Amino acid sequence: MGPPHIKFKLVRFLLLLLLVLLVHSCERELRDKAPDIGWYTSYPSALKEAEIAGKPVFLYFSAVWCSWCREYEKELVKIAPYISENFVPLNLDSDRDRELFLKFGGRGTPLTVVLDQREKVLLKFHGSVKSEDLKEILYLVRRGEASPTDKNETYKIQLPGKETYQLLLQYFLTDLKGRYDSFYGGFSSPSKRGSVFKWSTPLTYDFLLERALLTDEVLFSLRKDIEFLYDPVDGGFFNFYDRTRVYEFYFETSKSLMVNALMIPALLEAYRVTRDRDFLGKALGTYSYLITFLLHRESGCFFNAQVSDPEYYNLDPQDRKRRKPPPVDTAIIVEDNAKAILALLELYRKLESKQFLDTAFRCTDYLLMNLLTQEGLYRYYDTGVKKNKRVNLNLGRDIAWLGLALIELSEFNPTYRVSLRKILELKPSYEDWVSVSIKAYILSRLSGDEARKVLTDLEVNLSYHNPDDMVFLLKALENMIERDEI
């Protein structure tokens, strides 16, 4: 039989081998969702092939947590020969290839963009389309008869002063009233276009509650979010539900770090306003979900998301306990971990438990050590099969959110101001008006003059999909007014 220590080493080796195989299997399950129709996975390579072949690029953005993407992919495979014959098919990840996703106006997944060889957008749409309809749309694109993209209404800030603030605040509140759903709650419906999807808008909730604006609407919406989106078994919030399916109440059964991290401060603010312990309980339940399911214990940071599995979440609670939970996407993303750090700091402020502060420090130190390099700030660190892979330098959203986390952390440890300055000095590879607004908010807490320079001539998209996008611009202007520097 052999000595005991040799048997122990053999068992340990076999367990480690099994673990590696399981992780590899999980990664394949996460990565290989899109049907194989000859996808390119590199944007430059696809453009080069498009130029050589004289074909447009069929660019499909998906996500490992997106159940709608799985539905769409069933349709794509039905017309795979048509796509491969007439287009250069390119599949990118909306989380990992975030710069391109935002560049093409991505609001959610699935996102389809058709480009010519010079990167001109010929067609863009969000959501799933039936194969026969998609084939007809693509036929019109080839004939040059399709509408290329959405039209946006913009406002250019000439002078970031009180007048600008009052104008934007009034627009924001009027828009929210137009979006508000008095039956299901929430401000996520497209303004003036009726109610479709229901997802949380936690930054908006928090902003309004702090200022005692639309308080009844916000509290009603949060309670509806808890009713429809909170998972009473594992804790945490699902991304959204779709109430257009009258006989099939559908909800997106993924749980992302982004949504859950942002919901915690909103729930805590609702608890402060109402003293309703259900809000506090759901905030703590969401924290418990993050710690239990998304925590990367080696770093103290959090994984990107738990992937969608409608079959699992529609089981009875007792049956779910006998099933293995859905796997997680193993990327540690800067933007969303910064949101988690902010949630931890808010938990510490409200509950004064040092465990929250310690976890925030630990995750921040990991991000600074592993993703802030001499080249700049990388977007994510993959802890799975592609271990140590760092991708996407200096994306505006990552810089802005990590900067926001650092300025909040510096209240507890001033040494983080050094890292904050390094972050603010980075030149973004791509930034949108939202990331500029967050940066302006950070600067407004340091110097009103610097914030004014950043906001002057900024074009604000008034056709924003999510009202949360407007919050930090308003907060930056408020800070500057309070400092009497504008």
Side-chain angles (χ1 to χ4, degrees), residues 103-122:
K103 178 180 177 181
F104 289 117
R107 303 189 304 256
T109 53
L111 169 63
T112 302
V113 184
V114 179
L115 309 165
D116 68 12
Q117 297 93 328
R118 297 181 180 179
E119 301 183 75
K120 178 183 176 183
V121 175
L122 305 176

Side-chain angles (χ1 to χ4, degrees), residues 234 283-293:
D234 294 337
L284 292 174
T286 303
Y287 165 75
S288 177
Y289 166 76
L290 294 179
I291 293 295
T292 303
F293 290 91

